[in-house]
Each structure stands twice: as C-alpha cells, then as structure tokens.
C-alpha cells in the first residue's frame, strides 16, 4: 500500500472518535505501515460533534496539514448526519461507514450518496451486547478493516487486544467484550461487500 | 535555649564587610541564623536589601552556598534546591546533611513572592523561610507594602495636604502561613536574640516547611538613629505592635510577654514615618492604631489560651 | 487498497511506537531520567508532565517531580535544582513560557544547562490554544539555544541531544526544544525509540564543576554586578553561543552514528540545485516535502531549507545556502509586529546582507493560532517565487498567507 489513505472519524465527545483513530493507527503500525492519527481540537465537551483523522501509508508521511478529502469517512453517531457535513470532501470512489440500525438504502438516501460505497452496521447494539455499554468506537474499528481491508484482520485484532490490555489493566473484563465487538462488526461489514 | 558562650564559638558564615546601612537589622538576623544551625546551610534570598548588599561581585558575605535568582521566587528557588537534595540523596549520589533557608523582605514575601511562598509551603519542602520584615519596600526607596503599618509615611503613601500616610492596616502574613498548616511558624525579632535563635533552631529541626516572620527595624525607612535598632524591636514587642510567638503544629504559644504593655505611641513617636500622627487633629490615627494593636494582641492571647485582661 | 510491501515497510523494525509528540517527549524524559522536574500544566504541553508523573508514580524514574504552583516557580525551582547540582528539566507552552520570561534570562545568565521541551502555541490575546511560534520567538534573545522539531521523531531525538548540547563544557546554556502545538504534540506518528540503556549512556551522568550542594566549596550564585562587571559577564554569554554550532553538529553526528538519524543546524530538502527555496521551521516543513516533488515533476526546481537551530542562528550557513537562488520565501509562523514581517524574516535578511548575489526575498506570515497551512497555500508561495524571479523582486515584502483581509 504505497498510496496514502486518509480517514475521517465523526463522533460526539465521549464516543471515542479520538481513541478509535489512535487504536487504528497503532494497529496499522503493527502491520508495518506509516501512520498518523490526530484529533480536531476545540472547546467541545461531552456530546459535542468532534472529528479525528488517520493517515495510513506504505511510505513515510510528512504532511502536517488538515485532512481535506478523506477516502474513508466513519460515522460513530448517525444523529450527526445533517448537523455536520459528514460527506465533505469525500470523493466519488470514497467509502463511508455508519453506525446505524437503518438499512443501506435508507442511510444512502440520508447521506445523498454520489457514487460512494456505503457500509452500515448497528455498532451501538453490538457494543451494548458485547461490552455492556454504548461505545461504538471499537466495533467501528472492526468495521473499518472489514470495509477497506487495509490491514490484516487477525494481526489488527491482536494488536488492539494488546493495546486494550495496557489501557484497561485494572478492568480485564472489558477486553474480551471489545475483542468480540470488533470481530462481530468486522463480519457484519465483510458480508456487505458486493 | 542557646548559651552566648557556645554561640560565640560558631564560625561566622555571614561575614562583615557587606554594604548594608549602619544599624540595619537584616545582617543581624543572618548572623543569628548561622548561630542556630548545626548543619551546613544552603541559603537563598529574594532580590532586596539583604541580597544586594551582601553579594556585590566580586565579593560575598556568604561563606555558605548562596543563591539569588529573582524577586518573587525565593521560596520556589530554594524548593528546587531542596528537591535536588532529596533526589540526589534518594539515588545515593549525595550523603551530607544539609538544611535549606530562603530569605525575603516583606516585598518579596508578603507581596510579589506570596504565591511562590504559598506553593513551596503547601508542597511541604523541608526548608525554612525567613521574612525580614522592615515594613516597606526599602531597597527601592521606602514604598508601601502590605506589611506597612497604618498611617506610615512612605514614598507611595506620602503625607501631603490630603494624604495621611497608608490607609490600610497591615496584612497578617503569619496567620496566612499558619493557615497553610505549616508545622512551625513563628514571629521573632533580632532584639530578642535568644528567642529568635531558639526559634530558628526549632524551625531547622522541623521535618517539613517552617516560616519565621522577623521584624527588621529599618533606620532608613522608619527614620530612627542607627544605634536604636535593637531598641526599636524591644518597643515593638513591649507595645505588642510586633508580638513574639510561635505556632507549633497549629498550637499557639506566646514566647515573650511584656511585663507591662506600653502604649503604642511610645513606639510610633520614635519613627519619623509616623510624625504626622502626632500633629493636632490626627489623634484619631493613634487611637485607631492602638485599637488595632489591642485587638490583635487579644486575639493572640485567646489563640494561645492565655487570659485576656479586662478592658479598662 | 491492496497490501503491498514496499522497501520502506516498517515490519520487523525494532523499537517502533505509535506516539504523539507529547508521548514521545515524555518517553525521552523517562529515558533521560533527570534528577528533578518542576513543572506546571498548560495546554498543549500538559501531557508531557502528566505522562511523566505516571512514570514517577510507577517508580520508573529516580526523578523528584515538583508540582509547582506556576510556570514562574517551575523555572525558578528548575534553576534552583540545577544550581544545587541536579540535572533539572521542565516543559511548558505559550502563556506558561511568557510567565517564565524573567527566569529564562536568569537561567542563561546563571549558565544553567536546563533542557526544556516547549510546545509552540499562540499567545493571548485573543486566547488560543493552537500552534504558532509566537511564544518561543518572544524568548529568542533570552540566551537559550532554540531547536525546532518537524515531527514527533525529531522532538524525541532533539530532546535527548539537547541534554548533551546544554551540558557540554563549552556551552553550559539552557536549551528549548520545540514542537508544534496539537499538530505534533497531539498527533500520533511513528517514532523509532532508542533502548533505555542507549539513551542513558548517550546522555551520561551530569557532573557539574560548581554547585550549591558542594558545601565544602561554598559559592555565591546570582550576585549583583555594577557597571564594572555586568558587561563582562554578559559578554561571556556570547562565547558559548559562538561555540554552539560546532557542538550541535558534533553531537548530531554522534547521534547519527548511534541511530542512523544525523542532525545538523538545518535540513535541506531537494535544496542543492533548487531555484526557488522556501525557508521553514517546524511541522509545515513536512507538508512542503509533499509538494516539492510535485513541482519538480513539472520541471520547477523547488527546494526547502528547514532550520533546526534558531538560536544560535546559523547566519553563515543560511547565507551560503540562499545566495544566488532565483527566489526565496521565508515562512514565519509568528508576526514580529516589527514593521517588517516575522522574526525569521529579519534573521534571513540579516544573514544575506553580505551575500554577493542576494536573491529576491519575501516573507509569508502564516498559520497564526493554528490556522491550517496545507499544500495549496504552499503551492501559492512557490508560484509567487516564480514571479519574483522574473521581476527580480517580491510584489510584497511581507505577505499574510491564508488570512481573511
């Protein structure tokens, strides 16, 4: 993968858009790729619309300006659609992933797709069933890999597990749930490939 | 209790030849510090009279390690020295037993350095902070400070056609330090050498921060003859304008009680800075001053669990 | 989006970590393991000392961490600790650095080899937490060495090298190592770390000649100079600044042998034969590196001069590198408000004074308060340079890039 991929994550403060970008970058590094992950900073607190970004490449990444036309957009919270221009800069051959219980058709209309490939999954329900809380960021990580195939899924899940073990060293029960959530989301999206 | 004979044998690590005014009390306090110390000291000072008169390059009055960096940070600077000491000791890189002392005038302590002092005391560094309180910014030419007493004629509260000196009473910094929970807090005076040296010893032996507020009569700013420095401190104590006490782990103890409390006018009239208060029509100023001193003294007696005399 | 392995693949490379700039610098501090750190939090540098506090709490370092009540006290306590004989450090940003300002001059005047990572952030007012270089530029004459970093890797590498530079017997001056706020401090990138023992050996043990805790040899630090000595003492400060370029290069070479990453006073990117040269500090240099190959592909000989050292300023090197070019654009991420552009512009113009072939020169003030500076803006500057080369002079000596007028 020598061409650089840019990803934009949309969420609300507290949903883990930043963490997802960081975890994804870490997983991609584990797969031998160059990475960037950075959040968009403002005075926003919990609940406010936030964005974070990834750049992934097989070559060293030196660019340090904003991501303007990502090839992938990941939407953690469907209520942002309409409130935030989530499709901004996404080219026609771009990919969009949405955490929603709506169908691809319904969501496609809402987003006003213009050729972009859409994947939908109910990451909130997955996370409630596996982790016990509505934190859609980790399942969306699995969905992203399922949609783009940017990294090998097995190595990615291994890497994320290691990272979660570090982060939740006092709450080991959270880890299994997260791993399950990522796997389930991955499978869901994988099945949507035409 | 120190004995004069023993104290006289201690090396004078604060040496003569400095450039302080004749009759200045700050060098007396510095000399007493070394009489009180049983270990080597690293000393720091805020910018001010003591520092500029004792470190004029290429000379120094300090035969001990000495650091000056700026005005408002004497406590922060010495807290850094003390942190280095703890770090190096913990790592086994240093094995000597040393104590740390920061000096500041009332400008560097009550005012511009209050934040830095508060921080260092709250963090609990094992260091003694000595404020030599001459009740105004003497180094820059007698400007008022928050330690300056009511009515004082200073260059920024000049007595004039309208002005009658400083309008406010002084800030009770010692109480502020007590409120920090500092384990050893005291007020002292160079006029009571045994009392002050004993307090310095207790402070240096405190395993934590300590603070001594020392009245430093200033012949220049207060305008009295240089030979009266010690007498001024005695008057301050005997009128209870500057009571001597210590607060050990929150427990107040008065360490000097005048046999008979003298009227504060006896103290004020010796200082030119209060001259206007003795002019006809300004009697109320002396009364207000006396009332303030009385109130503070009574509060102190109560805090120390001493009987409060009936009001006449 | 297939997975193709290229020659630059990182698979199997040792000690790789995905770190933000703040994390990378905190790791460098852990490996340096200073005796004392005294610091006060400020966005966006807070994480450096916050992460470091966890190292202290986990017993990974020997450091005494002094959580002071202000940046003024942070620098005061750091100076005190350094004077006492410890290797002492702190970190800050923006208003915090501004509050330290008085103490910055004292740190250099007392010849304290303090290393301070600074996350570049705009200065108030209006209050703004994002990147520009106004904060450290304000301290440019404070007697500190001033090293800019392009990315998290350089922030890490520069922090480690700065210890050796500052403590070098010929230098004995403080150094600030900067990185761009949020862009680098909070941006996660690939960082190749060194092993702990490699860093430990590289930085060595701090052995001062004169220090306060040497109670058998008492010394007075910070005394008063009158007119008879002050000038001589300040004159002495100029000498280590003259020696610094040599020391920086020597330590950069040594570090290069150890890591494969060699450092000098500057980095040239496609510079040798460039007609149009952009001069940059910090993270935007990386963005310039993405468009210069595009320009080259179109036959436009574009190049980049990224300065690593801002203090001391490499006047001779800069003059040698820029003289004779068809056009030069200076990129200032702070406005000097001096009447003629930003601080970097002043230095570059000064450097070129004796040059025989002075190039047409323009200043571009950009990116204030974190305003994004992307490829399109930089392209515009290269287009301007091509016009300058034709007319022989810049249309405007000072330009404001990416601002609504």
């Amino acid at each position: 993968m020598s061409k650089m991929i840019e990803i934009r994550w949309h969420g609300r403060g507290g949903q883990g858009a930043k963490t997802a970008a960081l975890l994804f970058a870490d997983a991609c590094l584990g797969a031998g790729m160059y990475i960037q992950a950075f959040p968009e900073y403002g005075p926003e607190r919990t609940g406010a619309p936030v964005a974070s970004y990834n750049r992934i490449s097989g070559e060293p990444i030196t660019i340090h300006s904003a991501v303007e036309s990502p090839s992938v957009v990941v939407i953690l919270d469907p209520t942002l659609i309409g409130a935030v221009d989530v499709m901004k800069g996404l080219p026609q051959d771009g990919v969009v992933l949405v955490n929603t219980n709506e169908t691809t058709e319904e969501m496609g209309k809402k987003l006003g797709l213009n050729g972009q490939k859409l994947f939908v999954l109910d990451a909130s329900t997955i996370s409630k069933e596996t982790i016990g809380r509505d934190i859609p960021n980790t399942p969306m990580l699995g969905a992203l890999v399922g949609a783009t195939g940017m990294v090998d899924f097995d190595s990615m899940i291994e890497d994320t597990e290691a990272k979660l073990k570090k982060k939740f060293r006092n709450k080991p029960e959270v880890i299994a749930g997260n791993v399950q959530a990522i796997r389930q989301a991955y499978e869901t999206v994988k099945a949507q490939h035409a | 209790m120190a004995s004069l004979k023993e104290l006289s044998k201690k090396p004078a690590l604060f040496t003569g030849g400095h450039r302080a005014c004749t009759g200045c009390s700050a060098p007396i306090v510095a000399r007493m510090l070394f009489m009180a110390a049983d270990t080597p000291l690293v000393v720091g000072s805020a910018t001010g009279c003591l520092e500029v008169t004792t470190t004029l390059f290429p000379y120094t009055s300090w035969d001990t390690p000495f650091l000056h960096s700026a005005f408002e940070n004497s406590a922060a600077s010495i807290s850094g020295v003390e942190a280095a000491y703890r770090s190096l000791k913990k790592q086994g890189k240093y094995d000597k037993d040393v104590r740390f002392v920061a000096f500041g005038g009332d400008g560097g302590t009550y005012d511009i350095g209050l934040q830095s002092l508060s921080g260092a005391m709250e963090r609990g560094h094992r260091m003694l902070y000595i404020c030599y309180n001459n009740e105004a910014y003497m180094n820059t030419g007698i400007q008022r400070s928050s330690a300056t007493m009511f009515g004082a004629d200073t260059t920024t509260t000049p007595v004039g056609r309208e002005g009658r000196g400083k309008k406010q009473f002084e800030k009770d910094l010692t109480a502020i330090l007590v409120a920090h929970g500092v384990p050893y807090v005291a007020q002292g005076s160079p006029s009571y050498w045994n009392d002050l040296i004993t307090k310095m010893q207790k402070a240096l032996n405190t395993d934590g921060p300590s603070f001594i507020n020392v009245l430093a009569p200033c012949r220049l700013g207060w305008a009295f003859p240089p030979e009266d420095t010690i007498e001024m401190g005695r008057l301050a104590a005997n009128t209870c304008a500057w009571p001597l006490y210590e607060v050990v782990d929150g427990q107040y103890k008065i360490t000097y009680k005048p046999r008979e409390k003298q009227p504060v006018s006896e103290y004020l009239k010796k200082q030119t800075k209060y001259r206007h208060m003795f002019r006809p029509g300004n009697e109320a100023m002396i009364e207000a001053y006396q009332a303030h001193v009385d109130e503070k003294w009574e509060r102190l007696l109560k805090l120390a669990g001493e009987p409060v005399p009936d009001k006449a | 989006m297939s997975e193709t392995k290229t020659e630059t693949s990182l698979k199997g490379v040792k000690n790789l970590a995905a770190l933000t700039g703040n994390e990378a610098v905190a790791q460098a501090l852990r490996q340096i393991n200073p005796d004392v750190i005294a610091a006060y939090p400020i966005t966006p540098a807070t994480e450096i000392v916050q992460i470091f506090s966890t190292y202290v709490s986990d017993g990974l370092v020997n450091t005494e961490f002094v959580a002071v009540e202000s940046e003024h006290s942070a620098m005061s306590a750091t100076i005190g600790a350094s004077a006492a004989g410890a290797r002492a450090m702190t970190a800050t940003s923006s208003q915090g650095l501004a509050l330290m300002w008085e103490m910055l001059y004292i740190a250099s005047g007392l010849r304290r080899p303090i290393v301070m990572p600074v996350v570049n952030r705009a200065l108030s007012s209006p209050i703004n937490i994002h990147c520009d270089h106004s904060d450290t530029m304000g301290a440019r004459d404070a007697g500190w060495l001033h090293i800019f970093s392009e990315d998290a890797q350089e922030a890490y590498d520069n922090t480690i090298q700065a210890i050796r530079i500052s403590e070098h017997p010929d230098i004995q001056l403080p150094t600030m190592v900067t990185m761009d706020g949020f862009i680098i401090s909070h941006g996660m990138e690939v960082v190749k770390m060194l092993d702990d023992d490699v860093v430990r050996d590289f930085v060595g043990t701090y052995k001062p000649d004169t220090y306060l805790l040497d109670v058998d040899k008492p010394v007075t630090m910070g005394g008063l100079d009158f007119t008879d000595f002050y000038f001589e003492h300040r004159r002495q400060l100029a000498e280590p600044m003259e020696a610094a370029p040599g020391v920086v290069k020597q330590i950069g070479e040594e570090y290069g042998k150890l890591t494969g990453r060699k450092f000098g006073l500057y980095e040239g990117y496609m510079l040798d034969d460039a007609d149009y040269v952009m001069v940059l500090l910090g993270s935007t240099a990386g963005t310039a590196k993405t468009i210069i190959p595009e320009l080259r592909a179109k036959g436009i000989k574009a190049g980049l001069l990224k300065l690593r050292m801002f203090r001391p300023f490499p006047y001779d090197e800069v003059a040698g590198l820029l003289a004779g070019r068809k056009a030069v654009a200076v990129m200032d991420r702070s406005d000097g408000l001096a009447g003629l552009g930003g601080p970097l512009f002043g230095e570059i113009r000064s450097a070129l004074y004796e040059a025989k072939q002075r190039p047409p020169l323009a200043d571009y003030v950009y990116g204030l308060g974190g305003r994004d500076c992307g490829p399109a803006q930089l392209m515009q500057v290269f287009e301007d340079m091509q016009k300058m080369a034709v007319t022989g002079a810049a249309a405007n000596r000072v330009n404001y890039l990416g601002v609504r007028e």
Side-chain angles (χ1 to χ4, degrees):
Chain A
M1 194 186 89
S2 55
K3 191 182 158 232
M4 186 165 70
I5 305 290
E6 294 180 315
I7 302 165
R8 185 172 67 222
W9 300 76
H10 287 285
R12 290 188 182 276
Q15 286 179 325
K18 179 188 164 188
T19 307
L22 297 179
L23 281 172
F24 187 66
D26 220 355
C28 291
L29 172 63
M33 284 182 270
Y34 288 87
I35 53 100
Q36 274 185 359
F38 53 97
E40 190 169 74
Y41 276 95
E44 296 90 355
R45 299 293 191 255
T46 308
V50 293
S52 61
Y53 304 90
N54 280 121
R55 285 193 177 102
I56 312 290
S57 175
E59 306 281 343
I61 305 168
T62 63
I63 189 164
H64 282 128
S65 54
V67 168
E68 279 165 1
S69 48
S71 39
V72 183
V73 168
V74 187
I75 301 163
L76 299 182
D77 189 332
T79 66
L80 288 167
I81 298 164
V84 175
D85 186 2
V86 292
M87 299 295 283
K88 192 180 172 189
L90 188 70
Q92 287 189 346
D93 60 351
V95 173
V96 55
L97 279 95
V98 188
N99 167 27
T100 176
N101 54 16
E102 291 180 35
T103 63
T104 313
E105 272 183 0
E106 288 167 335
M107 186 45 70
K109 262 186 219 156
K110 241 183 212 176
L111 289 169
L113 290 183
N114 180 26
Q116 294 93 344
K117 174 79 181 149
L118 169 68
F119 295 90
V120 293
L121 76 158
D122 190 352
S124 290
T125 302
I126 292 175
S127 94
K128 274 185 247 173
E129 285 170 4
T130 52
I131 308 166
R133 284 197 299 136
D134 183 3
I135 33 167
N137 64 345
T138 35
M140 289 307 275
L141 214 56
L144 178 60
V145 177
T148 63
M150 280 168 62
V151 281
D152 175 56
F153 179 72
D154 292 330
S155 81
M156 175 263 182
I157 201 137
E158 206 176 287
D159 220 84
T160 307
E161 200 175 349
K163 185 100 180 170
L164 289 169
K165 270 182 186 159
K166 239 190 205 168
K167 194 178 168 188
F168 296 107
R169 56 181 173 174
N170 302 322
K171 285 197 281 182
E173 69 281 1
V174 186
I175 299 157
N178 271 288
V179 169
Q180 174 59 24
I182 295 171
R183 192 173 292 279
Q184 210 171 310
Y186 172 76
E187 303 293 349
T188 308
V189 168
K190 195 90 178 142
Q192 291 174 39
H193 275 286
Chain B
M1 220 28 148
S3 96
L4 261 184
K5 201 175 163 188
E6 272 173 37
L7 295 181
S8 67
K9 288 182 200 154
K10 289 239 180 179
L13 298 180
F14 181 85
T15 62
H18 55 72
R19 281 149 170 87
C21 299
T22 48
C24 178
S25 51
I28 304 173
V29 178
R31 285 170 63 92
M32 286 182 182
L33 172 67
F34 291 101
M35 291 178 184
D38 291 324
T39 64
L41 300 178
V42 176
V43 175
S45 176
T47 310
C49 288
L50 179 66
E51 172 264 328
V52 299
T53 58
T54 60
T55 67
L56 182 59
F57 191 85
Y59 307 105
T60 180
S61 296
W62 303 91
D63 203 2
T64 195
F66 178 89
L67 174 67
H68 160 256
S69 69
F71 188 10
E72 67 280 56
N73 64 353
S74 179
S77 302
I78 289 300
S79 83
V81 176
E82 190 265 356
Y85 171 74
R86 259 186 294 132
S87 177
L88 297 175
K89 271 218 149 175
K90 182 178 71 185
Q91 297 177 63
K93 292 180 184 171
Y94 191 76
D95 58 5
K96 292 198 173 67
D97 196 19
V98 180
R99 297 283 179 273
F100 304 92
V101 181
F103 278 102
D106 50 303
T109 310
Y110 278 68
D111 291 343
I112 200 169
L114 182 61
Q115 171 184 317
S116 152
L117 171 65
S118 174
M121 295 288 113
E122 182 273 334
R123 291 192 299 273
H125 297 275
R126 183 170 184 168
M127 58 181 276
L128 163 60
Y129 191 103
I130 300 174
C131 173
Y132 66 102
N133 173 14
N134 49 30
E135 299 186 340
Y137 304 156
M138 300 309 184
N139 188 43
T140 46
I142 323 167
Q143 292 83 29
R144 64 93 81 185
S145 77
S146 64
T148 303
M149 305 285 237
F150 171 73
D153 181 10
T154 74
T155 55
T156 48
T157 57
V159 172
R161 227 171 289 164
E162 304 275 330
R164 293 182 184 185
K166 194 188 171 195
K167 289 177 183 163
Q168 302 84 2
F169 288 101
E170 83 290 358
K171 174 161 87 187
D172 190 350
L173 180 66
T174 311
I176 293 172
L177 270 294
V178 173
H180 276 67
V182 171
Y184 188 85
V185 178
Q187 275 197 186
S189 163
S191 305
Y192 297 85
W193 63 268
N194 208 333
D195 181 79
L196 182 54
I197 290 174
T198 305
K199 283 170 178 166
M200 287 169 164
Q201 285 171 335
K202 287 183 184 178
L204 290 170
N205 287 326
T206 300
D207 188 11
S210 53
F211 175 83
I212 306 180
N213 201 347
V214 181
L215 186 72
C218 171
R219 49 82 41 116
L220 182 76
W222 299 14
F224 58 79
E227 61 273 22
D228 284 354
T229 302
I230 296 301
E231 177 59 18
M232 293 308 300
R234 287 201 185 117
L235 276 169
N238 284 326
T239 56
C240 298
W242 187 259
L244 308 182
Y245 61 97
E246 63 185 9
V247 188
V248 184
D249 295 323
Q251 296 301 307
Y252 278 76
K253 187 186 163 196
I254 296 169
T255 59
Y256 174 80
K257 256 193 286 183
R259 242 165 283 155
E260 200 179 334
K261 189 171 161 227
Q262 294 180 31
V264 78
S265 56
E266 294 299 310
Y267 174 51
L268 303 183
K269 74 181 179 194
K270 297 255 186 187
Q271 303 174 51
T272 308
K273 65 175 171 174
Y274 298 118
R275 190 167 45 192
H276 58 289
M277 287 165 62
F278 291 89
R279 285 185 200 137
N282 286 346
E283 293 82 0
M285 289 185 79
I286 297 180
E287 284 163 24
Y289 200 116
Q290 183 68 58
H292 173 69
V293 168
D294 290 347
E295 188 201 320
K296 280 191 75 175
W297 177 243
E298 279 180 27
R299 198 188 314 149
L300 182 63
L301 288 169
K302 281 181 199 159
L303 285 166
E306 303 254 3
V308 178
D310 289 338
K311 286 205 177 104
Chain C
M1 282 194 217
S2 64
E3 271 203 71
T4 40
K5 249 186 155 183
T6 67
E7 287 169 358
T8 44
S9 171
L10 295 170
K11 201 101 189 168
V13 178
K14 221 176 111 219
N15 288 351
L16 282 187
L19 299 177
T20 65
N22 279 344
E23 287 169 344
V25 167
Q27 288 285 357
L29 296 193
R30 179 185 62 73
Q31 295 180 312
I32 292 163
N33 194 6
D35 300 311
V36 175
I37 288 186
Y40 191 78
I42 179 165
T43 305
T46 302
E47 284 177 339
I48 297 175
V49 288
Q50 194 173 302
I51 296 165
F52 190 83
S53 307
T54 67
Y55 301 148
V56 175
S57 176
D58 289 340
L60 300 177
V61 287
N62 300 322
T63 312
E64 268 306 313
F65 181 74
V66 189
V68 286
E69 84 298 333
S70 73
E71 287 88 356
H72 192 282
S73 285
M75 186 46 70
S76 300
T78 304
I79 290 168
S82 172
R87 182 179 273 157
M89 302 179 75
T90 183
T92 194
S93 177
S94 185
Q95 305 302 122
L97 185 72
L99 187 56
M100 280 182 188
W101 198 81
E102 178 192 31
M103 301 314 297
L104 297 177
Y105 283 71
I106 292 169
S108 57
L110 291 176
R111 303 296 295 268
R112 296 293 98 218
I114 293 163
V115 172
M116 172 167 67
V118 181
V119 180
N120 280 121
R121 166 186 150 183
L123 286 173
S124 300
S125 176
I127 187 171
N128 172 287
I129 57 171
H130 290 278
C131 174
D132 70 38
H133 298 159
S134 315
D135 51 0
T136 56
M137 282 303 175
R140 66 190 184 275
D141 297 334
W144 284 59
L145 278 70
H146 191 170
I147 303 177
F148 276 90
S149 316
E150 179 184 323
D151 52 22
Q153 180 72 61
E154 286 192 1
Y156 172 84
D157 292 332
N158 285 337
T159 302
I160 293 167
Q161 289 172 74
I163 298 284
R164 286 281 305 281
I165 296 167
S166 269
E167 290 176 8
H168 192 283
D170 296 345
I171 306 297
Q172 299 286 312
L173 281 178
T175 301
M176 55 181 80
V177 173
T178 74
M179 63 174 145
D180 283 353
F182 286 107
I183 301 164
I184 302 305
S185 67
H186 287 64
M188 181 188 260
E189 297 182 313
V190 183
V191 176
K192 290 174 195 162
M193 286 179 56
L194 300 176
D195 285 327
D196 290 358
D197 57 342
V198 172
V199 176
R200 194 182 57 216
D201 292 347
F202 182 80
V203 298
T205 319
Y206 178 51
K207 287 192 195 109
D209 289 336
T210 311
Y211 56 101
L212 294 173
L213 285 174
D214 193 0
V215 290
D216 299 327
K217 284 190 270 171
V219 61
T220 289
M221 291 193 195
L224 171 71
D225 276 4
F226 272 159
T227 48
D228 53 351
F229 278 105
Y230 181 85
F231 200 171
E232 281 69 25
H233 283 148
R234 296 303 293 188
R235 172 67 185 91
Q236 284 175 7
L237 281 180
E239 277 172 25
M241 279 297 181
E242 285 158 25
V247 172
V248 168
K249 281 192 270 189
Q250 176 210 319
I251 288 164
E253 292 261 350
E254 193 186 321
Y255 192 77
K257 278 180 197 146
L258 199 66
T259 62
R261 298 187 297 277
K262 198 178 124 184
F263 288 84
L265 306 178
Y266 63 88
E267 180 198 338
Y269 181 81
M270 301 197 174
L271 180 63
D272 290 348
D273 65 340
D275 292 330
Y276 311 103
V277 179
M278 180 176 275
V279 187
L280 266 166
L281 295 164
S283 67
T284 309
T287 308
K289 286 174 184 174
T290 65
I291 65 158
I292 288 170
E294 288 177 37
L295 290 161
R296 288 271 174 170
K298 288 183 206 156
I300 299 156
K301 285 186 174 174
L304 166 72
L305 171 59
K306 177 187 87 179
L307 291 176
R308 178 181 181 230
M309 292 299 293
F310 186 75
R311 281 291 181 270
F313 193 83
Y315 291 99
D316 292 336
E317 288 82 355
V318 163
L321 290 164
L322 297 182
R325 307 287 180 170
K326 285 187 180 167
V328 171
V330 179
M331 304 292 289
D332 263 301
R333 199 159 196 158
S334 62
D335 195 353
L337 303 179
L340 191 62
L344 185 56
F345 189 52
E347 302 296 356
I348 301 280
R349 276 172 69 90
S350 170
L352 287 167
Y353 182 75
E354 283 117 357
K356 286 212 173 65
Q357 295 170 283
R358 283 199 292 262
L361 194 63
D363 190 29
Y364 290 83
V365 176
Y366 75 101
L368 299 192
R371 176 65 50 86
D372 189 47
C373 181
Q377 279 184 20
L378 299 181
M379 258 332 170
Q380 177 63 50
V381 174
F382 275 107
E383 277 171 30
D384 288 358
M385 273 194 266
Q386 292 168 65
K387 285 178 204 151
M388 281 158 66
V390 174
T391 59
N396 299 301
R397 284 192 299 193
V398 180
N399 306 270
Y400 288 83
L401 193 63
V403 71
R404 294 187 298 274
E405 297 278 7

